[in-house]
Amino acid sequence: MAYQLYRNTTLGNSLQESLDELIQSQQITPQLALQVLLQFDKAINCALAQRVRNRVNFRGSLNTYRFCDNVWTFVLNDVEFREVTELTKVDKVKIVACDGKNTTE
Amino acid sequence: MACFNPVPKLYRSVIEDVIEGVRNLFAEEGIEEQVLKDLKQLWETKVLQSKATEDFFRNSIQSPLFTLQLPHSLHQTLQSATASLVIPAGRTLPSFTTAELGTSNSSANFTFPGYPIHVPAGVTLQTVSGHLYKVNVPIMVTQTSGRAGILQHPIQQVFQQLGQPSVVQTSVPQLNPCCLQATTEKSQRIETVLQQPTVLPSGPVDRKHLENATSDILVSPGNEHKIVPEALLCHQESSQYVSLPGVVFSPQVSQTNSNVESVLSGSASMTQNLHDESLSTSPHGALHQHVTDTQLHILKNGMYGCESVKQPRNIEEPSNIPVSEKDSNSQVDLSIRVTDDDTGEIIQVDGTGDTSSNEEIGSARDVDENEFLGVIDAGDLKVLEEEADSISNEDSATNSSDKEDPQVDIVEEDPLNSGDDVSEQDVPDLFDTDNVIVCQYDKIHRSKNKWKFYLKDGVMCFGGRDYVFAKAIGDAEW
């Protein structure tokens, strides 16, 4: 089962909102919406694993760290993200990371 | 080839995969294909609106299917806009930047399709009937079937009618709650309020002209700091006070003067009441004050988002009332201060005390006590107040007098041990940020306070913009 981690992204949230609207108008059932989300989980996990190839480096200062249920959550401050093409600086970023070793995709 | 920004292509491919993947599911459930198309459309629209991928639809270009006319005279307006005008049409999604439109000195003609059109701020639209609308806030324009499109009142803020004075001068259009669909929470509240179409007058010219425009207007949900929600909030307040909207909305009225006048007179009578009441002295002052405060609040809300001729008058009113209150209080204050000065020299400061820090409050209580007790020795008064203190020790409002006064103590007590307090704001706010990375970790390494992160398959969202990575390596010091 693929991680449901990516539901809290722009793509995932917009899908959930769209599904909610259809549920509100009773065009689909909540059960069907759940199936759609599961399909989304598979698709996004697969897409990220296979279709994305770029690398990013970053450096910053660690404000907090948390490890619970095999999920790391970090909050970093004053971070620079460096890619080949561009540099992005943010003053605060939250990283949520699931275990990359145990996925059965 | 989106080599420099793989996100739009990736998102599109994910959307396609998901839709294809669930097609069978939908069929099994007996759900129409149209619902699946609606889902896809909604999804794409939301992704588009989110500015996660600015050029989400840039790559596919086909012949335009719309006729939205952008007259040359609005060239300057277009140039000043910074957002691009993206008009999706099913799968063919032409995109035109304002720069392109500006330099070409032309109008883009589009027939209105059955698909939502995202129109950013600064663009002026002209409908088939030839009426012009300047968009102040980004909107989503859709077409609904079977209903005559009627522009909503708030559009007065969203759209400034241009070009045709006779149209401009007409009053605010009639509200039609059926046509106004909004996707934000605020807008949902507004929708219920707008089911009072009798509130605002409408001109016959407007109705005709609006019926020609066969489109409904949706307020873009992505906007957070726009005039429209506030303008609509005016409506919300108006549900309680029917005559108010006439005050707050711009009376650019030439054709429906009589209606507006009646509305204004209704509000005028209300505002007259505000003047007439003397809030502090009359026994009904408290009630009226409450009502008036509410009205003032509404007026202020009305003023905030809307232009109004009545605005100066509205500004006057709130200032009148607090002044009168101040006057009454100040008289009391003066007398009290004299008393305090006399007794101030013998005030002793105790180690324990209550929390009053306001001389006036304490003084007010002194005045009350004097009224009840008549002439009392200072010592007796002190005893009485000590008793009162023990009873109402925690009640700062009924604090004892300044004799025992703890004003100095209060100052000492608050900071006492307050330095040991751990600020509570860290935890809930700390994890609340717009910049989020969702990914998987290969390895997380720590050495003393030096952390190394080996991450993979991540989606990053910085200030609304999305990025992806296959691998990310990071260093941080804790």
Side-chain angles (χ1 to χ4, degrees):
Chain A
M1 187 146 158
Y3 281 128
Q4 299 183 2
L5 179 69
Y6 300 101
R7 292 189 190 184
N8 189 24
T9 56
T10 308
L11 201 58
N13 283 326
S14 51
L15 176 61
Q16 289 187 85
E17 287 171 15
S18 306
L19 288 170
D20 284 341
E21 285 180 28
L22 291 181
I23 292 172
Q24 290 276 336
S25 61
Q26 295 183 339
Q27 291 178 281
I28 62 173
T29 61
Q31 185 63 25
L32 183 61
L34 186 60
Q35 296 293 322
V36 175
L37 285 171
L38 290 171
Q39 184 66 33
F40 169 77
D41 295 331
K42 284 186 212 162
I44 188 76
N45 276 278
C46 190
L48 286 174
Q50 295 176 359
R51 290 183 216 151
V52 181
R53 285 282 170 253
N54 59 327
R55 288 175 66 120
V56 167
N57 289 314
F58 62 95
R59 180 179 294 276
S61 54
L62 184 62
N63 187 313
T64 58
Y65 55 89
R66 177 188 290 168
F67 184 61
C68 182
D69 293 332
N70 278 332
V71 178
W72 277 103
T73 306
F74 303 103
V75 176
L76 280 79
N77 291 118
D78 301 323
V79 196
E80 269 186 20
F81 289 86
R82 202 174 290 269
E83 205 171 346
V84 176
T85 51
E86 58 185 292
L87 172 69
T88 308
K89 290 188 190 176
V90 291
D91 52 358
K92 186 174 165 190
V93 66
K94 179 165 87 169
I95 301 179
V96 180
C98 290
D99 194 347
K101 291 169 223 160
N102 271 345
T103 56
T104 53
E105 302 178 41
Chain B
M1 188 76 174
C3 52
F4 47 85
N5 192 7
V7 174
K9 219 172 164 188
L10 178 76
Y11 281 12
R12 181 127 21 96
S13 71
V14 170
I15 291 176
E16 297 285 346
D17 287 346
V18 172
I19 295 295
E20 289 307 312
V22 298
R23 195 176 292 275
N24 288 339
L25 278 172
F26 272 59
E28 282 169 15
E29 294 277 326
I31 295 175
E32 294 177 1
E33 186 76 11
Q34 182 60 34
V35 176
L36 189 63
K37 284 185 188 165
D38 287 346
L39 171 65
K40 184 176 181 190
Q41 213 175 85
L42 282 169
W43 193 3
E44 283 176 345
T45 306
K46 285 181 197 300
V47 173
L48 177 67
Q49 284 173 355
S50 71
K51 71 172 175 167
T53 56
E54 285 181 357
D55 46 358
F56 189 49
F57 295 111
R58 184 180 266 269
N59 291 334
S60 55
I61 298 173
Q62 285 189 8
S63 58
L65 301 176
F66 327 35
T67 54
L68 257 174
Q69 206 164 7
L70 306 170
H72 177 58
S73 61
L74 300 166
H75 170 73
Q76 286 176 351
T77 305
L78 291 174
Q79 272 186 335
S80 63
T82 54
S84 62
L85 175 66
V86 181
I87 303 178
R91 297 184 186 199
T92 68
L93 308 162
S95 146
F96 298 85
T97 60
T98 54
E100 290 170 357
L101 287 168
T103 52
S104 65
N105 282 341
S106 72
S107 31
N109 296 332
F110 306 96
T111 49
F112 197 90
Y115 305 96
I117 292 180
H118 177 233
V119 182
V123 174
T124 304
L125 310 176
Q126 180 180 20
T127 61
V128 175
S129 59
H131 295 107
L132 307 174
Y133 300 94
K134 179 182 173 187
V135 178
N136 289 339
V137 296
I139 59 160
M140 180 67 58
V141 179
T142 65
Q143 183 178 29
T144 59
S145 59
R147 291 181 295 215
I150 297 179
L151 283 179
Q152 311 311 313
H153 176 68
I155 304 305
Q156 181 131 13
Q157 297 300 324
V158 178
F159 293 96
Q160 295 171 8
Q161 297 184 1
L162 306 170
Q164 300 185 6
S166 61
V167 175
V168 172
Q169 292 303 319
T170 54
S171 68
V172 294
Q174 183 182 19
L175 293 173
N176 186 339
C178 303
C179 294
L180 180 64
Q181 301 170 16
T183 55
T184 60
E185 290 178 358
K186 275 187 195 168
S187 304
Q188 284 173 0
R189 289 183 301 167
I190 292 152
E191 197 174 13
T192 60
V193 171
L194 290 174
Q195 293 168 359
Q196 295 178 6
T198 58
V199 169
L200 297 169
S202 65
V205 174
D206 254 358
R207 192 175 300 155
K208 205 187 291 183
H209 133 74
L210 291 170
E211 279 172 359
N212 287 333
T214 58
S215 64
D216 294 337
I217 309 297
L218 290 180
V219 176
S220 169
N223 304 321
E224 294 170 2
H225 46 276
K226 299 293 180 287
I227 302 171
V228 173
E230 289 154 4
L232 297 175
L233 276 172
C234 299
H235 274 288
Q236 184 185 13
E237 303 292 352
S238 72
S239 64
Q240 302 168 12
Y241 299 92
V242 177
S243 59
L244 266 179
V247 175
V248 299
F249 286 108
S250 175
Q252 297 172 359
V253 177
S254 63
Q255 300 192 8
T256 57
N257 278 338
S258 58
N259 287 339
V260 174
E261 279 172 5
S262 63
V263 171
L264 289 176
S265 64
S267 61
S269 62
M270 236 168 45
T271 56
Q272 191 64 30
N273 288 337
L274 295 177
H275 285 292
D276 289 343
E277 320 265 13
S278 56
L279 299 168
S280 56
T281 58
S282 76
H284 307 291
L287 175 63
H288 288 139
Q289 184 177 1
H290 169 71
V291 172
T292 311
D293 284 346
T294 314
Q295 293 173 350
L296 286 174
H297 178 64
I298 292 164
L299 285 173
K300 281 181 192 166
N301 281 343
M303 280 179 338
Y304 183 69
C306 311
E307 294 173 7
S308 168
V309 169
K310 299 298 259 178
Q311 195 166 352
R313 185 175 175 180
N314 291 341
I315 293 169
E316 285 174 7
E317 288 155 5
S319 65
N320 285 339
I321 288 117
V323 167
S324 63
E325 288 175 351
K326 275 183 194 169
D327 287 341
S328 61
N329 284 335
S330 62
Q331 291 170 3
V332 177
D333 291 343
L334 285 171
S335 61
I336 293 159
R337 284 201 192 99
V338 172
T339 311
D340 281 344
D341 288 341
D342 290 341
T343 56
E345 292 170 3
I346 57 174
I347 291 175
Q348 285 189 351
V349 173
D350 289 335
T352 57
D354 41 14
T355 57
S356 167
S357 58
N358 191 347
E359 279 186 11
E360 292 179 359
I361 293 173
S363 304
R365 189 163 178 278
D366 279 343
V367 173
D368 292 338
E369 284 185 348
N370 286 333
E371 286 172 358
F372 289 124
L373 302 174
V375 177
I376 298 178
D377 290 341
D380 291 341
L381 190 57
K382 192 173 176 181
V383 169
L384 283 169
E385 284 165 354
E386 278 173 356
E387 290 173 3
D389 274 347
S390 62
I391 294 168
S392 63
N393 198 14
E394 291 178 4
D395 184 357
S396 60
T398 57
N399 183 356
S400 74
S401 76
D402 301 7
K403 290 176 187 174
E404 314 186 28
D405 185 342
Q407 203 161 5
V408 177
D409 286 338
I410 294 165
V411 173
E412 282 178 4
E413 225 170 80
D414 285 342
L416 202 62
N417 295 334
S418 65
D420 294 341
D421 292 340
V422 176
S423 58
E424 295 271 335
Q425 54 89 20
D426 278 346
V427 175
D429 291 345
L430 189 62
F431 287 89
D432 183 21
T433 172
D434 285 335
N435 306 324
V436 185
I437 300 177
V438 181
C439 59
Q440 299 174 32
Y441 63 89
D442 278 328
K443 188 177 171 64
I444 304 290
H445 174 77
R446 179 192 66 83
S447 176
K448 295 222 172 128
N449 70 334
K450 303 276 189 285
W451 290 70
K452 283 197 187 343
F453 313 94
Y454 297 90
L455 310 171
K456 68 174 187 179
D457 297 344
V459 179
M460 308 192 283
C461 177
F462 297 147
R465 286 207 64 183
D466 276 14
Y467 307 85
V468 292
F469 62 82
K471 289 225 179 298
I473 298 173
D475 288 290
E477 191 173 316
W478 181 71

